[in-house]
Amino acid sequence: MAFCNKLGGLLKTYVAPSPMASMLNSIRCMSESNKLFVGGLSWGTDDYALKDAFSSFGQVHEAKVILDRETGRSKGFGFVTFAEDESAKEAQSAMDGKELQGRSVRVNFANPRPPAPRYGNDNFSGGYGNNDNFRGGGGGGGYDNSGF
């Protein structure tokens, strides 16, 4: 089993991605210029209020307030995705520093989300990892005895 996991990890790391995956990633990166980060939101701001605040600048494809998984409350920030780049630029310059539901909001272009770390790519990944000196399993942690 450990051999299969290690082989799978090596294949994912060293085999070139499929052309379809590359194309989808390119499309995703191009659309990032339409997406705005909105910080400093009031706890009471929901998706509808966020969309309403930005819809005067153009067609809003999506407005999403990020919620805490545990409590279901707003984390105080969200994202607005416009159909067109120009609408996003106009909204960013007009709304940055403005008041929304009693709070001054920060509006910036969203940064692309970094890729998730690959399974077993460091010495402290939990599970079997990809290091022969790592022993142990389970979630996060482990011991690297390479210095001994």
Side-chain angles (χ1 to χ4, degrees), residues 12-13 113-122 124-125:
K12 287 179 187 176
T13 303
R113 189 176 208 171
R118 294 199 179 266
Y119 175 77
N121 67 346
D122 60 19
F124 304 103
S125 63

Side-chain angles (χ1 to χ4, degrees), residues 68 78-80 84 93 99-100 102 125 127 138 140 144:
D68 183 274
F79 296 93
V80 178
E84 296 181 16
S93 62
E99 195 169 294
L100 178 63
S125 63
D144 181 1

Side-chain angles (χ1 to χ4, degrees), residues 68-91:
D68 183 274
R69 277 186 245 178
E70 301 289 322
T71 65
R73 282 183 50 176
S74 167
K75 285 188 164 188
F77 68 93
F79 296 93
V80 178
T81 307
F82 284 90
E84 296 181 16
D85 292 353
E86 287 303 315
S87 299
K89 289 176 188 173
E90 185 181 341

Side-chain angles (χ1 to χ4, degrees), residues 9-93:
L10 288 172
L11 286 173
K12 287 179 187 176
T13 303
Y14 295 109
V15 173
S18 71
M20 180 60 91
S22 295
M23 184 176 72
L24 291 175
N25 193 33
S26 297
I27 291 170
R28 182 178 168 266
C29 289
M30 287 188 316
S31 68
E32 292 299 324
S33 61
N34 299 4
K35 192 171 191 176
L36 299 176
F37 167 84
V38 184
L41 293 174
S42 162
W43 302 122
T45 304
D46 61 6
D47 295 350
Y48 300 109
L50 187 60
K51 183 174 184 173
D52 187 50
F54 282 84
S55 61
S56 63
F57 300 101
Q59 183 183 356
V60 175
H61 178 49
E62 180 183 33
K64 183 76 177 155
V65 174
I66 305 303
L67 304 176
D68 183 274
R69 277 186 245 178
E70 301 289 322
T71 65
R73 282 183 50 176
S74 167
K75 285 188 164 188
F77 68 93
F79 296 93
V80 178
T81 307
F82 284 90
E84 296 181 16
D85 292 353
E86 287 303 315
S87 299
K89 289 176 188 173
E90 185 181 341
Q92 190 277 327
S93 62

